């Protein structure tokens, strides 16, 4: 019996030694969720698209003045016809104030050189020369602000965006209203008014990489009381065409400014101050909206 008891005792002792003491439960390590990097707001790439309208083009200067006063400076500028002249001056580094002063002293004769009875009434070389003088003779690609000038190929009616080359020639081509200015020969191709394809060059601003386009429409509406002389009929035809094209072009703009130029005709170069004031008024009325469009996002 002692043997049986000893055997039982040893068995229990061995069984007890084989038991593994309970291990403490270690909770799983929970990694904190990654912290996303702070979002960096960037201002959008903003373009001014300056439309054509002959003497009404001085309104562009008033718009630019208000934008400058508000601290808004576009990243690029594109111009058609009269808008190409203002765009060229602005891209060269001239401020709105400087351009207004230039407008005050501008002699219309300095930008017109009559050539009747050749292909057009005005050769346009005086305009090209004036642009070169005011911009230091630098080519388009050397402007302080990226610049695009829109003209129309006479042979096929295709629009062309000049982003390099002779700035004076490009502005001359963009402003060459058929039957008023002679077509302009650039590298063996003839060019005429850019307003035939883009009265306000919104699409071309997009082509240059603009994310926000502020368009300035200074075009003249068709005149119900137009005269029947050849020049008046030509201007009426251009106005009708421009309205049709603009209805499509301006859809792509983020904001369209239309200065009240009802009292300023496209041939009234004496109404410069009035046109500039109209541009200022239109820009001031839309300034809050424009600030929202160009804010970092």
């Amino acid at each position: 019996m002692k043997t049986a008891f000893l055997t039982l005792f040893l068995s229990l002792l061995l069984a007890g030694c084989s038991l593994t003491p309970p291990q403490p439960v270690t909770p799983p390590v929970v990694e904190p969720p990654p912290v996303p990097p702070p979002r960096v707001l960037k201002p959008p790439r903003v373009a001014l698209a300056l439309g054509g309208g002959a003497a009404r083009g001085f309104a562009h200067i008033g718009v630019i003045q208000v934008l400058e006063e508000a601290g808004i400076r576009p990243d690029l500028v594109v111009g058609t016809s009269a808008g190409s002249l203002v765009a060229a001056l602005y891209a060269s580094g001239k401020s709105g104030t400087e351009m207004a002063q230039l407008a005050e002293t501008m002699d219309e004769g300095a930008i017109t050189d009559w050539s009747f009875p050749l292909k057009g009434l005005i050769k346009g070389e005086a305009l090209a020369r004036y642009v070169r003088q005011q911009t230091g003779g630098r080519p388009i690609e050397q402007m302080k602000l990226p610049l695009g000038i829109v003209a129309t190929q006479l042979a096929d009616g295709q629009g062309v965006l000049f982003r390099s080359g002779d700035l004076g020639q490009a502005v001359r081509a963009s402003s060459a209203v058929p039957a008023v200015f002679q077509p302009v020969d650039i590298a063996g191709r003839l060019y005429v008014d850019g307003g035939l394809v883009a009265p306000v060059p919104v699409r071309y601003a997009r082509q240059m990489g603009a994310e926000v386009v502020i368009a300035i429409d200074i075009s003249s509406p068709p005149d119900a009381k137009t005269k029947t002389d050849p020049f008046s009929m030509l201007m009426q035809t251009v106005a009708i065409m421009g309205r049709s094209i603009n209805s499509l072009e301006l859809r792509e703009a983020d904001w369209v400014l239309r200065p009240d130029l009802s009292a300023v005709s496209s041939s009234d170069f004496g109404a410069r101050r009035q046109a500039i004031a109209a541009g200022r008024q239109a820009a001031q009325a839309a300034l809050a909206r424009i600030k929202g469009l160009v804010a970092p996002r």
Side-chain angles (χ1 to χ4, degrees):
M1 184 170 179
K2 284 178 69 176
T3 302
F5 178 80
L6 183 59
T7 301
L8 177 61
F9 175 77
L10 291 174
S11 299
L12 291 174
L13 182 62
L14 291 173
C17 292
S18 66
L19 292 177
T20 304
Q23 299 295 319
V25 178
T26 304
V29 177
V30 179
E31 295 289 341
V35 178
R39 185 183 173 202
V40 179
L41 300 180
K42 291 179 59 179
R45 188 168 170 79
V46 179
L48 283 184
L50 309 185
R56 291 171 155 229
F58 293 106
H60 293 315
I61 297 174
V63 172
I64 290 171
Q65 284 181 328
V66 172
L67 295 181
E68 286 182 336
E69 291 162 6
I72 298 171
R73 181 168 176 80
D75 299 285
L76 60 99
V77 60
V78 191
T80 288
S81 199
S84 73
L85 173 58
V86 178
L89 296 175
Y90 185 47
S92 74
K94 293 191 186 306
S95 67
T97 300
E98 289 172 325
M99 287 190 290
Q101 293 171 346
L102 198 60
E104 288 284 343
T105 59
M106 181 183 292
D107 178 9
E108 188 180 347
I111 60 173
T112 56
D113 44 355
W114 300 90
S115 62
F116 186 82
L118 299 177
K119 298 178 183 177
L121 294 176
I122 301 175
K123 287 167 53 177
E125 181 52 40
L127 174 60
R129 185 165 54 248
Y130 178 82
V131 171
R132 295 186 194 107
Q133 290 171 348
Q134 295 299 328
T135 59
R138 288 172 290 157
I140 298 172
E141 64 271 21
Q142 290 183 13
M143 292 295 100
K144 294 183 179 180
L145 192 66
L147 170 66
I149 303 293
V150 179
T152 304
Q153 287 189 134
L154 185 59
D156 57 11
Q158 293 295 313
V160 174
L161 180 66
F162 287 104
R163 297 194 60 186
S164 62
D166 187 329
L167 177 55
Q169 281 290 78
V171 171
R172 177 186 174 189
S174 182
S175 305
V177 178
V180 178
F181 282 83
Q182 290 184 13
V184 180
D185 187 332
I186 300 177
R189 293 179 180 269
L190 292 178
Y191 295 90
V192 292
D193 187 8
L196 298 177
V197 292
V200 185
V202 177
R203 287 178 295 121
Y204 293 97
R206 296 287 186 200
Q207 185 177 320
M208 288 178 65
E211 297 169 306
V212 171
V213 179
I214 301 168
I216 307 174
D217 179 14
I218 58 167
S219 59
S220 301
D223 185 0
K225 298 179 181 179
T226 187
K227 299 176 183 179
T228 56
D229 62 276
F231 182 76
S232 296
M233 292 292 288
L234 173 64
M235 292 298 98
Q236 181 77 343
T237 302
V238 171
I240 293 170
M241 288 176 51
R243 183 173 64 175
S244 300
I245 298 171
N246 261 354
S247 65
L248 299 174
E249 187 86 13
L250 293 176
R251 290 178 188 174
E252 296 189 35
D254 294 278
W255 194 258
V256 181
L257 292 173
R258 291 187 175 91
D260 181 3
L261 296 165
S262 55
V264 180
S265 74
S266 58
S267 59
D268 189 0
F269 283 86
R272 302 170 194 186
R273 290 185 181 180
Q274 188 174 350
I276 291 172
R280 288 188 61 88
Q281 185 176 10
Q284 287 167 343
L287 191 55
R289 175 60 175 162
I290 292 173
K291 285 182 177 179
L293 288 171
V294 304
R297 55 185 70 177

